[in-house]
Amino acid sequence: MPNPPRLRAAALSATAVLLSSVLAGCGDGSTDEDVSAQKLSWKECPAPSEAEGGGGAPSPLPGGEQWQCATMRAPLDWGNPQGDTIGIALIRAKASGDLSRRIGSLVFNFGGPGGSGVTTLPAFGSDYTKLRTRYDLVSFDPRGVGRSAPVRCENDQQLDTYFQQDATPDDAAERAKLIDNTRKFNAACEKNSKKMLPHVRTTDAARDMDLMRQVLGDDKLHYFGISYGTELGGVYAHLFPKNVGRAIFDGVVDPTQDVEQGSLGQAKGFQLALDNFARDCTSKVRDCPVGDTAQDVKDRIAKLLKGLDHKPLPGIFPRQLTQTAATNGIAQSLYSKDFWEYLTEGLEQAYDGDGRILMLLSDSMNGRNENGQYSNTTAANVAINCADDTPRYTADYVRGKLPEFRAASPVFGDFLAWSMVSCTDWAVPGAAEHPDVSAAGSAPILVVGNTGDPATPYEGARKMVDALGKGVGVELTYKGQGHGAYDSKNPCVQSAVDGYLLDGKVPAAGTVCS
């Protein structure tokens, strides 16, 4: 996007679908009741709301059972728990095995921030069949997301225009336009969601999760966090260390970095993933259709992007494939090695003058469906990041950092450097430079780092282990590609994760899977 959010989203399910209900608002009322004593009313799930991305209701589970949905009431302001409440949308698949061996609920957060767990869990449900034998699988739309009092900013037509803009300005006029449109977007968020913006911090979502634990009837929170979900899990462990059960962090956010450090780390991570894609393509027996050597692949991509800055290609009518959309689409395709074939096909198509595939990939990253409707992923991503993070960067500051970002990545450097202006003139101050995840007294947390991860670079796993504190974080390394490790279906990774979640067996620290 013109001032893209940090690419922390675990956006795989939306891409897989793309390429192959009544909203719960804020101010639902106030209550003097103890919200931890509420009883959830589980019903068959409706079709996803527009804010969740639209589409059909989730398909039945393998045994024919239906997914169940409910709404949990939570305080709008955890500083005033007797005040207004909001609805937190939940989804579950009840445990399939012997109920006498049921452990409890396993709560998932798939990342973002801004991703809908209510739509993502069914999309990946088959990957967790074994875990379902002893757990109810549960996920949710965090506050500000999907059906949980969604943050609203610009409308679909405005977003189409917004995403067509130049995210990597080359001169004063383009820089001024970028900053102006950032301010317009942020002003729309304040106008349409003023009441929610102060209450979408990760600490608020963590408190919602502890309420969820209680309402679900669990003594401990058993948790599977992916991407931003690892940050949320770390914040939860810091706030409620004694309530942590068996927890997995996969695709790990570095909790020690500020916004600038995180953006620079992602520039390096996405460049590494692009390097790996190029080497993979040119090492195959057949000819690589997008370059003769790995360097040739990258040179041709750079040439394509430079050309698009001046002359976009036809995309999905009436929109064009701009430099920004193409960069966004390439980044999206690097989230999973399974998507590299789409990148190859998209580049082939673009070199022939057709930008449709790269635009589909970009649309997926931005939360746009084929009907031209946007989920609120981008709005929620910006709102949560800006509420969490104190830094506010100026255009002049970013310009001074461009050489460092370009050295990290010729393809993604400018794109991620300019993403740092997303919170310029945001209505709510940020909470901290980076989250506190120290969790003395917590049960062991299995922290899984992937050496080829573009969005959450591998080094973040060790930083998370150290920040959690002695005796808490247990690091496991996966020598693979893509964002996260468990869904790669690597037998070693899945055996270690399943062994902990199902049997309580913590793998040896430093275990390596390849």
Side-chain angles (χ1 to χ4, degrees):
M1 61 185 289
N3 50 334
R6 277 168 288 159
L7 302 175
R8 298 199 294 195
L12 304 184
S13 61
T15 305
V17 171
L18 181 62
L19 297 171
S20 48
S21 115
V22 177
L23 301 181
C26 66
D28 291 341
S30 59
T31 178
D32 293 327
E33 299 176 9
D34 178 4
V35 289
S36 67
Q38 66 186 286
K39 301 296 183 183
L40 297 176
S41 177
W42 293 99
K43 300 177 180 178
E44 188 172 323
C45 294
S49 69
E50 182 178 333
E52 289 176 309
S59 301
L61 290 151
E65 305 97 324
Q66 296 293 330
W67 291 89
Q68 298 179 327
C69 286
T71 300
M72 179 185 78
R73 286 182 297 112
L76 167 65
D77 180 358
W78 274 103
N80 178 24
Q82 303 304 317
D84 286 351
T85 61
I86 57 173
I88 304 295
L90 277 63
I91 189 169
R92 77 173 178 185
K94 295 189 73 173
S96 61
D98 181 353
L99 291 182
S100 68
R101 300 186 70 245
R102 177 183 176 274
I103 296 170
S105 302
L106 180 61
V107 176
F108 290 79
N109 181 281
F110 296 93
S116 165
V118 172
T119 59
T120 304
L121 182 58
F124 282 104
S126 61
D127 291 352
Y128 308 114
T129 300
K130 190 171 183 179
L131 299 177
R132 188 178 161 227
T133 59
R134 300 196 67 188
Y135 289 99
D136 294 346
L137 305 184
V138 176
S139 193
F140 63 107
D141 290 353
R143 55 174 57 219
V145 177
R147 284 211 313 274
S148 299
V151 172
R152 303 260 184 203
C153 297
E154 294 187 326
N155 63 32
D156 293 339
Q157 293 72 30
Q158 290 169 323
L159 287 171
D160 267 350
T161 301
Y162 188 63
F163 287 124
Q164 288 287 100
Q165 297 174 76
D166 190 343
T168 55
D170 300 312
D171 56 36
E174 290 183 353
R175 289 191 292 273
K177 187 174 182 180
L178 173 64
I179 297 300
D180 182 57
N181 283 294
T182 300
R183 288 172 175 153
K184 288 179 180 177
F185 179 90
N186 293 352
C189 299
E190 183 180 11
K191 177 182 178 182
N192 295 320
S193 300
K194 186 174 183 178
K195 190 171 183 178
M196 279 304 299
L197 296 188
H199 305 298
V200 294
R201 295 188 170 98
T202 298
T203 50
D204 297 316
R207 294 185 186 282
D208 292 342
M209 286 207 304
D210 200 59
L211 174 62
M212 196 181 307
R213 173 191 63 79
Q214 298 170 68
V215 171
L216 291 170
D218 293 324
D219 292 332
K220 303 285 186 179
L221 179 75
H222 305 295
Y223 180 72
F224 200 135
I226 302 165
S227 192
Y228 163 78
T230 67
E231 180 178 322
L232 175 58
V235 170
Y236 179 89
H238 172 70
L239 294 174
F240 307 103
K242 299 298 185 182
N243 295 345
V244 175
R246 300 173 187 176
I248 307 295
F249 292 178
D250 185 10
V252 188
V253 171
D254 184 341
T256 69
Q257 293 182 330
D258 62 20
V259 175
E260 180 184 336
Q261 293 164 338
S263 297
L264 185 61
Q266 284 197 326
K268 296 174 182 176
F270 277 96
Q271 187 63 46
L272 173 63
L274 187 63
D275 292 346
N276 292 336
F277 159 77
R279 278 195 297 268
D280 179 76
C281 187
T282 55
S283 67
K284 297 184 183 299
V285 175
R286 64 175 178 82
D287 290 338
C288 175
V290 292
D292 297 327
T293 65
Q295 189 59 50
D296 185 42
V297 171
K298 292 182 286 184
D299 288 344
R300 292 190 68 188
I301 290 172
K303 183 178 179 181
L304 171 69
L305 295 174
K306 184 176 182 180
L308 290 172
D309 195 26
H310 305 289
K311 187 178 180 181
L313 291 175
I316 299 173
F317 185 81
R319 297 173 301 138
Q320 295 181 309
L321 181 73
T322 61
Q323 181 190 57
T324 296
T327 306
N328 206 37
I330 292 168
Q332 173 71 318
S333 68
L334 297 174
Y335 271 86
S336 171
K337 191 173 182 179
D338 291 343
F339 300 157
W340 287 5
E341 61 181 287
Y342 302 137
L343 177 55
T344 300
E345 189 175 352
L347 290 171
E348 279 190 281
Q349 193 183 72
Y351 295 146
D352 287 335
D354 185 342
R356 284 177 295 173
I357 290 178
L358 290 182
M359 194 150 210
L360 282 170
L361 288 161
S362 181
D363 283 348
S364 175
M365 179 76 90
N366 295 333
R368 187 187 195 273
N369 67 22
E370 60 185 6
N371 297 321
Q373 296 174 326
Y374 286 86
S375 72
N376 89 313
T377 297
T378 294
N381 182 285
V382 174
I384 296 167
N385 282 336
C386 295
D388 277 347
D389 301 326
T390 54
R392 301 292 188 253
Y393 299 99
T394 66
D396 286 343
Y397 184 87
V398 172
R399 287 181 68 196
K401 292 293 179 177
L402 288 176
E404 187 177 2
F405 275 79
R406 288 168 179 166
S409 174
V411 173
F412 302 105
D414 278 39
F415 187 72
L416 283 159
W418 284 108
S419 76
M420 295 193 297
V421 303
S422 295
C423 298
T424 300
D425 296 320
W426 191 252
V428 175
E433 285 197 1
H434 54 79
D436 190 346
V437 300
S438 58
S442 168
I445 296 172
L446 183 57
V447 178
V448 186
N450 181 352
T451 58
D453 197 314
T456 51
Y458 170 66
E459 295 77 12
R462 167 49 52 184
K463 296 291 184 63
M464 177 66 81
V465 167
D466 291 342
L468 287 169
K470 187 175 181 179
V472 179
V474 178
E475 185 176 10
L476 182 148
T477 294
Y478 169 51
K479 292 184 176 180
Q481 304 296 331
H483 186 34
Y486 189 86
D487 286 322
S488 71
K489 299 181 174 58
N490 177 270
C492 173
V493 172
Q494 294 199 330
S495 176
V497 170
D498 293 347
Y500 184 37
L501 289 175
L502 296 173
D503 302 315
K505 297 178 181 177
V506 182
T511 296
V512 177
C513 295
S514 58

